Amino acid sequence: MIETLFHAYTPLVIWTGLGLLLFKYIPVDFPKLLSRFLFWIGIPLQILVLARQSDFSGAVVFTPAIAIFVLFLSTSLAWLTWLLLWRLSAAHVKKPYFQGKNSRLNLFLLNVNSRKRSSQGSFILAAMLANTGFVGLAITPAIISSDNNNWAVLYSLTNNVIGTYGFGVFIASYFGNSEQKKHWWTQLRDVLTVPALWAFLIGFFTRNIPLSETVESGLQVAVWVVIASALLLVGIRLRSIKTWQSFELALIPSLLKVVIVPVLIGLGASFFGLSGDPRLVLVLMSGTPTALSVLILAEIYDLDRDLLASSIALTSLGLLLMLPLWLAGFS
């Protein structure tokens, strides 16, 4: 297991750590430019390549349905949790529950009550969207056999197309502070114009069109460059967090993201007779850190950036802690 963990952690530690180290030496506009590059070019390129190489036959065909179920489960748990916290905080403002030694809890409930509508959307996105494309696909080759790689690829494709750049864009548009984003046709337009969606369709319908070996090799190299760039951006964004007040609130969606939902998926997969690498892939993909793309959505739709950045930090640390437990319990 130690060797497996070493290979899994290596790309995460190297590229994220490099981003942390370079934070002081890079231009101020570099993170935003890198985010735009990943949104318009990097992520669509990765999805196009994965769509061309995926095998949509056999038992693996059920992976998209499982990925959509995980999105629904995560969204429902986050939504219900936020509603509970909001009602507790609203009641607490009228009549405080705790005094004296529980003043920290008082401050937490007051913090929840003071949050804007955009924080609710950020709370849901933090628990729902997973970094399957960059972190997930960077780890899976080190812990599963190549024969089961399609499970990871199809899960990542579904999560990105249906989750991040489909349902995620809709939620970000709905909860964003910009008033012009409230009409349903505007939200639908936002979803349909996402470049990752069109990249998937192009890749899917060109699977049978052969490319030269040089082009295919170049695309593979480009995908790994995109993954490294995304992990680099994670390190830069983590270092740029200016306030730590959002970490308490971010802890809740982070626990949903890397602890509760993956365990439920692992137990559910076991109940339905799934085992070995396929089960481990589902657990890993459902428990990958909060997607870096939430920061891009936060910039576009004016969401709670600190809450999302804090969630990325906590879930990234949570992945390092939970991965050995997942290997021991579900591999």
Side-chain angles (χ1 to χ4, degrees):
M1 180 185 292
I2 295 179
E3 182 178 358
T4 300
L5 290 174
F6 174 80
H7 289 294
Y9 288 154
T10 297
L12 300 179
V13 174
I14 290 178
W15 293 109
T16 305
L18 185 61
L20 292 170
L21 293 175
L22 294 179
F23 173 74
K24 292 183 178 180
Y25 308 100
I26 60 175
V28 176
D29 294 333
F30 178 77
K32 182 174 290 187
L33 292 175
L34 185 56
S35 297
R36 298 293 178 179
F37 163 77
L38 290 172
F39 181 79
W40 291 104
I41 300 176
I43 295 172
L45 176 63
Q46 183 192 36
I47 290 178
L48 185 147
V49 173
L50 294 177
R52 281 182 51 85
Q53 298 176 348
S54 299
D55 180 9
F56 295 89
S57 62
V60 73
V61 74
F62 294 105
T63 305
I66 299 173
I68 293 173
F69 172 76
V70 173
L71 289 169
F72 175 78
L73 176 64
S74 302
T75 303
S76 300
L77 291 176
W79 192 300
L80 292 174
T81 303
W82 177 269
L83 290 180
L84 177 61
L85 288 174
W86 182 260
R87 290 185 178 181
L88 286 175
S89 65
H92 177 74
V93 170
K94 296 180 180 179
K95 183 178 180 181
Y97 297 128
F98 310 105
Q99 303 292 339
K101 64 179 180 179
N102 293 313
S103 59
R104 191 67 186 177
L105 189 53
N106 288 336
L107 293 176
F108 173 76
L109 291 175
L110 291 174
N111 181 28
V112 173
N113 186 261
S114 66
R115 294 285 174 165
K116 298 179 180 179
R117 174 184 174 86
S118 59
S119 293
Q120 181 181 0
S122 299
F123 188 94
I124 296 172
L125 291 176
M128 180 185 76
L129 299 183
N131 199 335
T132 58
F134 300 133
V135 175
L137 293 182
I139 293 178
T140 48
I143 63 176
I144 66 171
S145 64
S146 58
D147 294 338
N148 293 295
N149 192 52
N150 279 344
W151 286 85
V153 171
L154 281 180
Y155 191 108
S156 180
L157 283 173
T158 306
N159 179 79
N160 284 324
V161 176
I162 304 297
T164 303
Y165 299 107
F167 196 32
V169 170
F170 186 88
I171 290 179
S173 178
Y174 180 77
F175 286 100
N177 286 329
S178 177
E179 293 298 328
Q180 64 185 14
K181 296 293 182 181
K182 302 307 179 184
H183 301 296
W184 68 267
W185 59 84
T186 306
Q187 296 161 4
L188 181 62
R189 182 203 63 191
D190 291 341
V191 173
L192 295 179
T193 55
V194 167
L197 174 62
W198 293 98
F200 171 76
L201 295 176
I202 294 172
F204 179 82
F205 289 109
T206 60
R207 287 180 300 158
N208 296 325
I209 299 177
L211 299 176
S212 66
E213 184 176 347
T214 302
V215 174
E216 290 286 2
S217 300
L219 290 175
Q220 288 296 328
V221 173
V223 167
W224 282 106
V225 170
V226 170
I227 291 176
S229 300
L231 295 177
L232 182 72
L233 184 58
V234 170
I236 294 173
R237 289 301 191 186
L238 294 182
R239 186 67 181 272
S240 65
I241 296 177
K242 297 179 180 179
T243 175
W244 297 89
Q245 295 179 349
S246 294
F247 272 85
E248 287 185 341
L249 183 57
L251 180 62
I252 298 175
S254 298
L255 288 174
L256 291 174
K257 186 75 196 66
V258 298
V259 179
I260 296 177
V261 171
V263 170
L264 290 177
I265 296 303
L267 294 176
S270 301
F271 178 80
F272 287 103
L274 201 62
S275 62
D277 282 352
R279 178 178 61 183
L280 181 60
V281 167
L282 297 179
V283 173
L284 172 64
M285 287 296 187
S286 64
T288 50
T290 299
L292 181 64
S293 55
V294 297
L295 294 177
I296 301 174
L297 297 178
E299 293 291 340
I300 297 175
Y301 298 102
D302 194 18
L303 299 174
D304 191 333
R305 297 167 182 80
D306 287 340
L307 176 58
L308 292 171
S310 300
S311 298
I312 292 175
L314 291 174
T315 52
S316 297
L317 177 61
L319 173 66
L320 300 180
L321 299 176
M322 292 300 297
L323 186 55
L325 300 180
W326 295 340
L327 287 172
F330 298 112
S331 65

